[in-house]
Structures are given as structure tokens and as C-alpha cells.
Amino acid sequence: MHWTSFYRRSRHINGRAPRQRQFLHAGPRLHRKSPRDGRSRGPAGGERMSTAPARRARPPLPLQNGAEGDDEREEEVDEEEVGDDEAEEEEDDDDEEEPRLKYQRLGGSVPAILSTDAAAAIAVADRMVALGTHNGTLHILDFQGNQVKEIAAHTATINDISFDADGEYIGSCSDDGTVAINSLFTDEKLKFEYHRPMKAIALDPNYARNYRRFATGGLAGQVLVLTKKSWGGYHKKVLRDGEGPIHSMKWRADLLAWANDAGVKVHDMRTDKGIAFIERPKGIHRPEFLLPHLVWQDDTVLVVGWGTSVKIAAIRTDLSQGLNGLQRTITTASSEKYVDIVGSFQTGYHISGVAPFGDLLVVLAYIPDEDEKEKTFSTSVTSRQGTAQRPEIHLVSWKNDELTTDALPIHGYEHYKAKDYALAHAPFSGSSNAGGQWAAGDEPLYYIVSPKDIVVAKPRDAEDHIAWLLQHGCHEKALAAVEAGQGRTELLDEVGSRYLDHLIIERKYAEAAQRCPKLLRGSPSAWERWVFHFAHLRQLPVLVPYIPTENPQLSDTAYEVALVALTTNPSFHELLLTTIKNWPPTLYSASPVISAIEPQLNSSSMADSLKESLAELYVINGQYEKALSLYAELLKPEVFEFIEKYNLHDAIHDKIVNLMIVDNKRTVHLLIQHRDIIPPYEVVEQLLHTSKKCDKRYLLHLYLHALFEIDIHAGKDFHDMQVELYADYETRMLLPFLRTSQHYRLDKAYEIFAQKELVREQVFVLGRMGNAKEALSTIINKLEDMQEAVEFVTEQHDDELWEELIRQCLQKPEMVGNLLEHTVGNLDPLYIVSLVPDGLEIPRLRDRLVKIVTDYRTETSLRNGCNDILKADCVNLLVKYYHEARRGVYMVSMDEEVHGNRADDGSSRGHERSSSVRALDIKSRTRCGARCCLCFDPLPIQDISVIVFYCCHAYHLSCLEGGLDSMRSNSGQDSDGGMDDEDGSPSGQSRMRCVLCTTAAS
């Protein structure tokens, strides 16, 4: 099924001349379901309508009635204007308005019905469509045109059809003079004979609940209202008579409107009073050829289209002004309600039907030829010359602001008159104010009926809007509409593809690339297709930043093609490096990209970014040594972490200088740490002969200094060079180096120090060379530092040097004074004073002598005090030794020792035993054939416990305890129990003593 926008003429709101445009169909569409019964609201199986050349705007028919309201007439277009040039046509395309409606021929059973009959009338209910034919048959159709029911209601042309509000009853009237009312869901049938052609019928909206009431009229000129009586039969009431044939009739709520030759009248059926009369437009001499068309927009607004006039009447209940500032005094028979004409305008065409479109109007226009106009108003003979124009659908406001105009290619339109067409619409709710969009199921359907054709018009939906935007190059607006949810999700792919095609055609490659993530979303195939397309156009670098690496993930070939494309131009090398760092290495193979870069490696114009990119690719490919060479060449700070991470210490032999330039401290540490792999001579050789711009001597100094601190002999071959480097960069380290190293030449070092006037270093070298007197002379004459001179002489341990020091100092009085100050403890000051010639004036001599005497006294006092302390310490230590020597050491066998260790540690004897075990050297002595000093038996300590004293006397434990008991009994009377023993222990505590030593002492 295809909905089509036909050739149309667009009139802007601002009143510019209308233009005619052709619009393509919007493609296949799904049917919408009716909110009431779930049936499809769109026709199915219909024929896609072809288009025909659009016609030019014609001048309106002359207006003779002078009706009030805003009259807007189209200006006549000269034939010469048809030949506008191409530039004007392009400008018209830019100003073209989007159509509001789309069209389709009603299919289903309709083509078969109209092939043998002709359509005469149509009515639309909520759930069905009723089609009346010239043969008098009623066809009940669904919204797809499929016949549901067929009713043989009449024998002649059906002029009018009416449904009740519930869609359960249908009424029809015919030229055969009959009115038929049928129930659509039961067998109930009614038929009324009036013997005159009946032209209009209107069922009460509450027909089933309101006594089967309906109204009808025809050529007899009577407006009849029939109501079923409670006891049977129908009561007939004539509302109006004698004003000519009844041409049209519509019933809404309690209001019944009909049109006769005099005009349109509105009757209140609730109060049974007339409300208003709207006069027939002037200039319509034969109303049967230009029929009036009545439609209720809602319960209070009636739209009247008649001839070339449209009037909108509002039913009001008070005397307020009408809408749009229009107020009309209408003759009315009721003081409760009246009619206010709120809109009125003239058209340039004959009106064949009118219907509401939200707050707008849909008008079916019949365009007569000039000759046809004259015949229409001058004779009653119908002309069938086949010169009629296509009927048109005009979408206009109440002020006749024409929004769109569509020409319909109705079958056989050349032979039809205005009265041969009819327009009906399905009941709907909602408004077109919100951008012309309707909720699903609420959009109105319009049926344009001709004798052999039925076309269904429908408001264009969001997808139609998107298709129109794409067709007219408004891709951004179409994309925004899709993203806003105004169409199926699947449309995003189509819109995105067409948008990208448009940008590529416009050569807006960067913008197209920027749009790709949003337009291509998660489709791997779409991404790959556009990657190769950009590559074909040689514009792939602009797309690379937007290529996804996950969700979706593309093929490895797509990523490789993208990376290779970035290697071709130096302006893309920075992007190449960024891309390689950002893309996971598992996405692609690095080998093709490496192969594309390596031929440029020896080029002098190769950018650093390309080298770094190649290094990153080498890392991905596992070629770490090649990557290290590039990192070192690029002086990358992270090269040290790279070396440690991949253990590349063997690969840095030829990269020492570059590493030094990057970070000399880290490089020196690395070289020192791995000096077994990179020998010092190799480092020195590279640094000495490098051609790179760097302070190679300073770098060499740093390396040799660090090497010397770690291993003083590792760089011994370069100590002569190191002396010079210290002299240049770090003189404070010279003396420690000179004192430590033995691998430098003294004469060469002296020349360097003399050249750089490093006096202290000269002194040290002279001293090392054995020329102490010259060194001393240098200290005195150049440094004039007596303390250093004294220290130097002291270190030499040469008495003659002291004499030389005194001799040289005597030549300078000031130096004599300094010598007196610094020789205390080294030389006798009196000796120095005795050598001073008489009459030699020495500055501050008295103060210095006082200081010497004071220092001497202080030194003497300190010496005496130290001697006293030393003597006291010696006495105390001897006493302590004596007491300790009197104590015995308990020696036990190994078995007893183990048993003693398991015993309770609380006893004093156990404590003494545990302490005696540690005296291993004394225990070894007792094993050398020693004997007990009491029993004179040998001392086998394996089985018998032994006591050994520091006096080297040894006893059996049993012998010693017996001897001591006898000694205590003899001397117990003379001892004072409260006195301490000689060793300081209380007398209450039993202490073992050597029997022989104790006896001798007593």
C-alpha cells in the first residue's frame, strides 16, 4: 500500500501566489487501528495513484452576491509566466511548503463494485463506510474497502446516506421516492414511499433511543420529521414547506440543519424552534447543479459550502461578539440560541464538498472552464464535452489562508461536473494546531468520491514528514525528527545513510565523519562500508577519530586500512600516534602498518611522531629492541621504565649518549648497576667521541664519579682523566679522591692544580711526592693558614719539618703569633719563644702568651683529674675481680644438667647450676686430671658434681660442704650475725668459698 502526495498548489499564509509541486509517495505504510473497534483506519490493497502535470492557478469565478467576509482571489497568471527560467524554479523549490495530506485509492471490493455500477453517495461511521450507487444498492465496507454487507435498498440512484451516532442504523433516500432505514446488526428494516425523489436524510443521533426519529426531504420541498409511535406506526411532522427542494440535511445533537433553494436553516429539535436562516449565496441560479454542502465541525459549529462561498456559523446562547471580530444579526425565532457567522470567504472554484481538519477546513474544489461557466449559468443542459479539470483538495483556514492545494487524478474526471463529486470524513478527535500531527488512531480520513473512483486522504504522519525532508535536502531536520522519536527506529539507518551520502556529495567530509557515530550507531557492517568508502575517497583520516573500538568492533582489516591511511601524509602523523595509543592492540595486526612506515625510516623528513608511532607498533609486535632504539633516539623519558620492563640492558650499548641526554642521573645509575654488562671503557669511549650536542665532559664526570664511589678500582684507568674532571666540575671532591686513589700520576695532577690554582690540592700532591718543605712553604705563603700547616707537619711525623715550620714563621711576625696559638700540645711554646730574635715585634704577643699559659693550666688540670679517675677505676675493678674470684662454679654431669633444666627454677641452687653450665672453659680444665683439694681424689665430672673456684682450686661438692660446715661451727661464736661477709653478701646467706684460700687468709 502506498500513500501519495499529488501535484499540489501551495499558498503561504502571507498570501503569496500559490505554486504547484509534485511530491513522491512516502513508501509502504502500516494501517492504523481504530480506537473503538480495532479495525484498520487506512485503506489496504489500494492502487498507487499516478500523478499528472499540475495546472496553473486560475482566477476565481465572478462573485455576484457581495457576501460579507474576507474575499481572497487568486491573481491571474499570464501564459508568458509559464516559461520561467530554471533559476526561478529552483527558488520555488526552496520556498515549497510541505503537504499536509497523502492519498490512496480505496481498494478491496470497491474497484469491482464500480466496474459495473457508479458511486452516488457515501457516509462514514466510526466502524464502517457506506457507499450508495446509482443502481440503488448500499454497500457496507470496512476501511480497507472490503465489502461487509450489501443491501438492495432502492431501485434508483441513492442521493444521501446517514448513520446514527452508534453506527447501528443506516438510512438512505433515493430518486425512486423511497426512504429506507436498516439495522446493520439485526433484521429490522423500514421503508417509506413518498412518490417524489428524496434528496436528503438525517437520522437522529440517538435514533434507537429516541423513538426511531429521523428527518428527510426532497423535491417536494417538505422537511419531514418522522417519529415512531408507541402503539405502532409513525407520526409525521412537517418542519418547513414551500421553499423549494431540500438539497442537503445534517443532524448533530439537538440541532438539525437543512438547505433548500432559499438557503440554510437551523432548527432546535429539543425546543422545536427555528434558530437561524442563512441566505443562499447569490449567483447560483440552479442549485441542483451546485449543491450545498453542510458539515458539523462540532456540536456548535456548522460549515456551509455552496457554490463559491464558504460560511462558518457558530451556535451561541448569548449576545456576545463572534470569533474573529465578526458579528452578524440573524433573524431567529428563538431568544435562547442564535447563529453567529464567524467566518466567510469566497473561492475561485466550485465547492464539491467541505470537511473539518482540526482548526482548518478541507475543501473539495471543482475547477470549471470558462466555457463551462457560461453554460452552467445560462442553460440547464448538462455539457459533457470532456474538458473538465482535475478536482483539487484545498486546505484553508477560516480566513481563506490557503496552506496547500493538491490536484487529484480521478478516473474520468474530464467528464464530471461539480455535483458528481462528494466528500465525506470519518469522525475524529484532536486538533492540527500542534504541528499538524495527530495521535495514532485519531487522525481523520477523507473520502473523495466520484462515479468511478474513490480516493482516501489522510494527514501525513511523522514518517511522511521525514521522507519529505529527505527529498528536499533537509537531512538535519529529518535526523532530528527521527531522534525525537517521530518515526520507526529502523528509519534512523535510512536517514543516516542518506544524510551521509548528501554530505559526501557536498564534500563535507569532516562533518560526515563527525555524524557517523550517531548515524551508524552499532552496525559493524555499516561502519566497515563507510570506512572503505572514505578510504576510496582518500578522506579516511577525518573518519579515524570516530571509528569505534567496541560496541561495535570492526574487522581487523578496517582498522589496518585506517592506520595505513594515516601514514601517507605528515599532517596525519600526530593523529596516527594518538590512534595507536588509544586503540587496543588486539584490534589489528601491526605488521601491515609497520611495513607502510619502515620505508620512510631513513628519510630525513620523517617526523618524530611517526617514529614514535613506529616504536609503539614495534612494542605491539614484540620487537622491543627496535622500539628501544627509537625511544632512545626520540629521547623519551619513559625509556628507562621500558628497559626495566622488558630487561633490555644488553641492548643499550650504543645508546648511552642518548640515555645520558634524557636523564643523566638515571642513566649513570643504570650503567653502574650493570657495569658487568656495559664496561666503563665502553661508556667513556662513547661519551668522549659523541657528536651530539651535549656537555660530554660533564656527563663523563658524573659517570666516573659514581663509579668511583661504588668501586674505587673499577675506573682506575681513567683516574688521571677524573682528576681533571674533578678540577673542572667538583673541586670539593678532589682531596677525598686524591687521598683514596693510587692510580693517578702525581706530576700530571700537580700541573692541573697549578694551572687552576688549587693550592690545597697542590699541597697534598707535593706531600705525596715527598716534597714536604715546598708543600709547607705553599701553605704558609699562599694559604697563610697556620692550623693547616701544623696539621700537615703533624701528619708527616718529621721533626725537621717542625724546625722548617718555625724557621719560616720567624720570617713573619704575625705567623709567629699564629704558631704559638696552634702548637700547644705539639711543641713547647718556650722553645719557640727562645728562638724568637730579640727586638722582633710580634702582634698581640701578651694576649697569646696569656692564652698559652691558660691553656696549659687547663690541660694540666684535666690531666690530673683524668689520672685520679683512672686510679679509682682501677681499685674498684680489682676489688670486683677479687670478689668474683672467690665464688665457685658448679660443674655437673650431662644427665644431671638435663634433669636440672627441667626442675623448678625457683631454688637458688638450681639458679647457680644453670649459671655454672655456661663456664665451658673451666669445665674443660677439670677434665685434665685435676684432683679434689680435700680428698685428693681425681675429679671425673661425668658422674660426680664438682665445685671449681677462679683460684683454680677444685673440690667434690660433698667434700666442700663438709669442710665448710666444720669451719662455720668453729667460727660461729665470734661472728656477728648482723654483719655482712667480706664480699658484701649478708651473713644469713650461705656462700661457698675455697677452703684453702679461706684458711690461709685466717
Side-chain angles (χ1 to χ4, degrees):
M1 179 182 66
H2 298 280
W3 289 95
T4 305
S5 296
F6 296 103
Y7 289 105
R8 65 188 187 86
R9 299 185 299 120
S10 300
R11 174 180 294 277
H12 295 284
I13 299 298
N14 59 11
R16 287 188 294 177
R19 296 184 175 90
Q20 305 160 24
R21 293 290 175 263
Q22 175 181 357
F23 292 87
L24 300 177
H25 66 88
R29 306 289 295 115
L30 297 177
H31 303 307
R32 303 214 188 263
K33 297 293 184 178
S34 171
R36 294 190 179 182
D37 58 4
R39 295 186 180 181
S40 174
R41 289 293 306 271
E47 175 188 356
R48 174 183 170 185
M49 302 189 68
S50 60
T51 56
R55 65 174 183 83
R56 283 290 176 178
R58 292 180 171 273
L61 295 176
L63 301 180
Q64 304 175 7
N65 57 354
E68 292 82 2
D70 296 334
D71 296 337
E72 184 175 314
R73 297 180 174 87
E74 298 178 350
E75 298 177 359
E76 183 174 357
V77 181
D78 297 334
E79 292 298 329
E80 296 178 354
E81 295 180 357
V82 177
D84 292 342
D85 57 21
E86 184 177 354
E88 292 179 354
E89 290 296 333
E90 292 179 357
E91 181 181 356
D92 292 345
D93 291 338
D94 295 337
D95 296 337
E96 191 171 308
E97 290 287 341
E98 182 179 359
R100 298 293 189 92
L101 297 172
K102 57 183 177 179
Y103 305 87
Q104 184 191 11
R105 283 193 170 87
L106 188 60
S109 306
V110 171
I113 295 172
L114 298 185
S115 65
T116 58
D117 204 346
I122 191 170
V124 185
D126 285 340
R127 294 176 286 180
M128 66 198 74
V129 178
L131 176 64
T133 66
H134 283 280
N135 288 339
T137 304
L138 273 177
H139 300 275
I140 308 301
L141 311 173
D142 61 16
F143 287 107
Q144 285 75 41
N146 301 308
Q147 180 169 296
V148 178
K149 189 174 184 180
E150 180 178 336
I151 303 173
H154 306 279
T155 59
T157 300
I158 297 177
N159 294 316
D160 196 9
I161 304 172
S162 175
F163 283 100
D164 67 340
D166 297 329
E168 296 180 357
Y169 291 87
I170 183 171
S172 59
C173 61
S174 172
D175 282 344
D176 63 1
T178 62
V179 172
I181 300 177
N182 294 273
S183 173
L184 296 174
F185 304 101
T186 66
D187 295 332
E188 182 180 352
K189 298 180 181 180
L190 295 175
K191 195 167 186 179
F192 301 88
E193 293 282 350
Y194 294 102
H195 308 291
R196 294 286 302 275
M198 305 301 291
K199 298 294 185 180
I201 184 173
L203 298 185
D204 188 329
N206 296 317
Y207 175 82
R209 297 180 295 274
N210 209 0
Y211 301 102
R212 303 293 197 270
R213 185 168 61 168
F214 68 94
T216 185
L219 295 183
Q222 293 180 334
V223 178
L224 302 176
V225 177
L226 283 81
T227 307
K228 187 176 182 180
K229 300 177 182 180
S230 58
W231 57 86
Y234 271 80
H235 175 267
K236 182 174 68 174
K237 180 179 179 180
V238 179
L239 292 183
R240 187 68 61 179
D241 189 10
E243 295 180 349
I246 308 300
H247 302 291
S248 179
M249 183 178 293
K250 298 296 178 183
W251 197 329
R252 179 71 174 253
D254 293 328
L255 300 177
L256 175 64
W258 68 85
N260 53 28
D261 287 348
V264 178
K265 294 187 177 182
V266 182
H267 192 85
D268 189 344
M269 301 299 293
R270 182 175 61 83
T271 61
D272 196 20
K273 293 182 180 180
I275 295 178
F277 167 69
I278 303 174
E279 186 180 2
R280 184 185 73 181
K282 296 180 180 180
I284 301 178
H285 303 288
R286 299 293 299 272
E288 63 271 16
F289 293 104
L290 293 177
L291 298 176
H293 300 277
L294 308 180
V295 61
W296 288 97
Q297 179 160 319
D298 53 37
D299 291 346
T300 60
V301 177
L302 176 66
V303 180
V304 179
W306 200 345
T308 60
S309 173
V310 176
K311 294 181 180 180
I312 300 97
I315 312 301
R316 305 193 180 280
T317 56
D318 56 16
L319 298 177
S320 61
Q321 275 201 341
L323 297 176
N324 302 320
L326 300 175
Q327 184 175 11
R328 179 182 296 276
T329 303
I330 303 296
T331 305
T332 178
S334 173
S335 60
E336 297 180 358
K337 294 181 179 179
Y338 71 98
V339 172
D340 187 9
I341 302 299
V342 296
S344 176
F345 57 88
Q346 295 293 110
T347 67
Y349 45 80
H350 294 163
I351 299 172
S352 295
V354 64
F357 185 83
D359 297 331
L360 306 174
L361 295 177
V362 174
V363 180
L364 177 58
Y366 174 79
I367 312 299
D369 287 337
E370 295 295 334
D371 296 339
E372 186 180 351
K373 295 177 187 177
E374 295 176 359
K375 294 177 182 178
T376 299
F377 296 110
S378 62
T379 178
S380 60
V381 179
T382 302
S383 176
R384 294 287 183 179
Q385 301 298 326
T387 60
Q389 303 257 354
R390 297 177 184 273
E392 295 179 352
I393 291 292
H394 292 246
L395 190 62
V396 298
S397 69
W398 287 7
K399 293 183 178 181
N400 199 25
D401 294 326
E402 191 172 284
L403 278 71
T404 59
T405 298
D406 299 328
L408 307 179
I410 299 294
H411 293 329
Y413 68 89
E414 302 90 347
H415 305 286
Y416 299 146
K417 296 294 183 179
K419 69 174 184 177
D420 294 326
Y421 295 102
L423 174 64
H425 72 284
F428 66 92
S429 60
S431 171
S432 63
N433 290 337
Q437 301 298 323
W438 304 81
D442 288 339
E443 66 276 359
L445 295 177
Y446 299 92
Y447 293 82
I448 300 98
V449 179
S450 67
K452 291 294 183 179
D453 204 358
I454 299 178
V455 174
V456 182
K458 183 179 181 180
R460 294 168 59 85
D461 58 14
E463 295 184 11
D464 298 318
H465 172 65
I466 293 169
W468 186 88
L469 292 174
L470 289 175
Q471 182 180 353
H472 290 76
C474 303
H475 296 86
E476 291 186 9
K477 293 181 179 179
L479 179 61
V482 176
E483 292 175 345
Q486 296 183 15
R488 292 176 289 112
T489 307
E490 295 79 4
L491 278 177
L492 186 58
D493 295 334
E494 178 184 353
V495 173
S497 179
R498 294 184 63 176
Y499 190 13
L500 291 177
D501 287 336
H502 167 73
L503 293 176
I504 294 298
I505 293 173
E506 296 291 328
R507 296 190 177 184
K508 298 179 180 179
Y509 303 113
E511 185 177 354
Q514 186 179 4
R515 296 282 185 179
C516 280
K518 180 184 293 185
L519 300 179
L520 303 182
R521 298 179 297 161
S523 173
S525 59
W527 268 106
E528 291 179 10
R529 183 172 65 254
W530 280 102
V531 165
F532 294 124
H533 187 52
F534 271 81
H536 176 71
L537 297 173
R538 297 186 178 182
Q539 297 295 329
L540 189 54
V542 300
L543 181 63
V544 169
Y546 306 100
I547 296 177
T549 57
E550 58 181 4
N551 299 323
Q553 179 176 329
L554 312 184
S555 65
D556 54 354
T557 304
Y559 295 111
E560 292 164 9
V561 169
L563 293 175
V564 171
L566 296 178
T567 65
T568 57
N569 194 318
S571 60
F572 303 140
H573 291 169
E574 287 291 344
L575 177 59
L576 173 64
L577 176 59
T578 303
T579 304
I580 292 175
K581 289 182 177 180
N582 292 337
W583 281 2
T586 56
L587 295 178
Y588 56 92
S589 172
S591 298
V593 191
I594 292 174
S595 300
I597 300 177
E598 282 183 340
Q600 309 177 46
L601 191 58
N602 297 324
S603 173
S604 59
S605 61
M606 186 176 185
D608 289 346
S609 56
L610 187 58
K611 291 181 180 179
E612 187 174 355
S613 300
L614 182 58
E616 295 287 343
L617 292 170
Y618 280 145
V619 174
I620 294 173
N621 217 30
Q623 299 172 273
Y624 302 118
E625 292 188 6
K626 290 185 177 181
L628 176 61
S629 299
L630 291 174
Y631 282 139
E633 183 179 351
L634 294 170
L635 306 179
K636 303 297 290 184
E638 57 270 17
V639 67
F640 298 98
E641 290 80 1
F642 186 78
I643 293 171
E644 296 296 335
K645 181 177 180 180
Y646 297 104
N647 193 23
L648 299 175
H649 306 99
D650 291 337
I652 65 174
H653 290 272
D654 56 343
K655 307 170 183 64
I656 295 172
V657 178
N658 287 338
L659 295 177
M660 279 286 195
I661 296 174
V662 174
D663 190 333
N664 52 58
K665 292 183 179 179
R666 299 183 67 176
T667 304
V668 167
H669 176 74
L670 182 65
L671 294 174
I672 297 300
Q673 188 177 7
H674 299 279
R675 59 186 179 276
D676 55 334
I677 301 175
I678 308 139
Y681 72 86
E682 187 174 336
V683 178
V684 174
E685 183 72 17
Q686 287 195 41
L687 290 175
L688 284 178
H689 297 92
T690 181
S691 60
K692 297 184 180 295
K693 294 182 179 180
C694 61
D695 191 349
K696 57 185 179 182
R697 287 178 54 80
Y698 177 69
L699 298 177
L700 189 59
H701 159 68
L702 293 177
Y703 170 71
L704 292 176
H705 171 67
L707 182 63
F708 180 77
E709 288 186 335
I710 298 298
D711 185 355
I712 61 175
H713 302 292
K716 63 181 180 179
D717 296 338
F718 310 103
H719 281 195
D720 285 332
M721 182 189 303
Q722 198 166 356
V723 169
E724 186 176 358
L725 294 173
Y726 275 130
D728 289 338
Y729 297 104
E730 202 168 3
T731 56
R732 65 181 182 84
M733 296 300 299
L734 268 174
L735 285 176
F737 176 78
L738 295 173
R739 292 189 181 100
T740 306
S741 175
Q742 301 295 330
H743 305 290
Y744 59 90
R745 292 172 53 189
L746 296 176
D747 55 343
K748 185 176 181 180
Y750 183 77
E751 290 178 4
I752 295 172
F753 300 151
Q755 182 180 359
K756 295 184 177 297
E757 299 181 354
L758 300 173
V759 179
R760 286 183 172 83
E761 287 76 9
Q762 294 180 46
V763 171
F764 180 83
V765 173
L766 288 172
R768 177 71 68 88
M769 295 171 66
N771 198 347
K773 291 184 178 181
E774 186 178 354
L776 180 61
S777 177
T778 302
I779 295 174
I780 295 174
N781 296 325
K782 293 184 179 180
L783 293 180
E784 297 181 351
D785 189 341
M786 183 53 63
Q787 182 176 358
E788 186 169 347
V790 171
E791 292 177 355
F792 176 76
V793 174
T794 303
E795 291 176 356
Q796 299 300 316
H797 304 288
D798 188 355
D799 293 338
E800 293 183 1
L801 202 56
W802 282 109
E803 297 293 337
E804 180 66 21
L805 175 60
I806 295 172
R807 187 183 65 76
Q808 293 192 23
C809 288
L810 291 177
Q811 298 175 6
K812 296 181 179 181
E814 179 64 29
M815 298 299 292
V816 174
N818 292 334
L819 181 61
L820 290 173
E821 290 182 358
H822 293 89
T823 56
V824 177
N826 296 310
L827 288 177
D828 186 1
L830 293 178
Y831 175 73
I832 299 174
V833 172
S834 65
L835 296 178
V836 176
D838 294 338
L840 181 63
E841 183 176 352
I842 300 173
R844 298 188 297 113
L845 178 60
R846 184 177 65 85
D847 296 337
R848 287 170 173 170
L849 291 176
V850 170
K851 184 178 182 300
I852 292 173
V853 172
T854 303
D855 292 343
Y856 180 76
R857 290 176 178 175
T858 303
E859 182 181 356
T860 303
S861 176
L862 289 174
R863 286 180 179 179
N864 293 334
C866 290
N867 287 333
D868 294 341
I869 294 172
L870 180 60
K871 292 176 181 179
D873 289 343
C874 289
V875 171
N876 292 334
L877 290 175
L878 285 172
V879 171
K880 183 177 180 181
Y881 173 74
Y882 171 73
H883 289 162
E884 290 294 333
R886 296 178 65 187
R887 297 180 181 178
V889 179
Y890 183 66
M891 313 294 291
V892 298
S893 64
M894 298 303 295
D895 295 338
E896 188 178 353
E897 181 180 348
V898 173
H899 177 72
N901 288 338
R902 295 176 180 177
D904 185 15
D905 295 336
S907 63
S908 60
R909 177 170 293 185
H911 178 72
E912 290 182 0
R913 289 179 180 177
S914 63
S915 63
S916 65
V917 174
R918 294 188 293 267
L920 298 178
D921 57 335
I922 299 177
K923 182 185 294 186
S924 65
R925 291 183 186 180
T926 61
R927 295 173 184 172
C928 300
R931 294 177 178 274
C932 176
C933 294
L934 291 179
C935 68
F936 300 104
D937 292 335
L939 301 174
I941 63 173
Q942 289 81 1
D943 299 322
I944 302 174
S945 299
V946 176
I947 299 297
V948 180
F949 294 93
Y950 282 94
C951 59
C952 297
H953 295 140
Y955 305 90
H956 293 115
L957 179 60
S958 57
C959 296
L960 184 61
E961 288 178 346
L964 289 177
D965 290 342
S966 61
M967 291 176 63
R968 291 193 192 97
S969 62
N970 293 332
S971 60
Q973 293 84 3
D974 299 333
S975 299
D976 186 1
M979 299 297 292
D980 293 341
D981 293 337
E982 292 179 1
D983 60 355
S985 299
S987 59
Q989 297 181 0
S990 174
R991 298 296 300 271
M992 289 187 179
R993 294 182 177 87
C994 179
V995 176
L996 296 180
C997 294
T998 303
T999 305
S1002 60

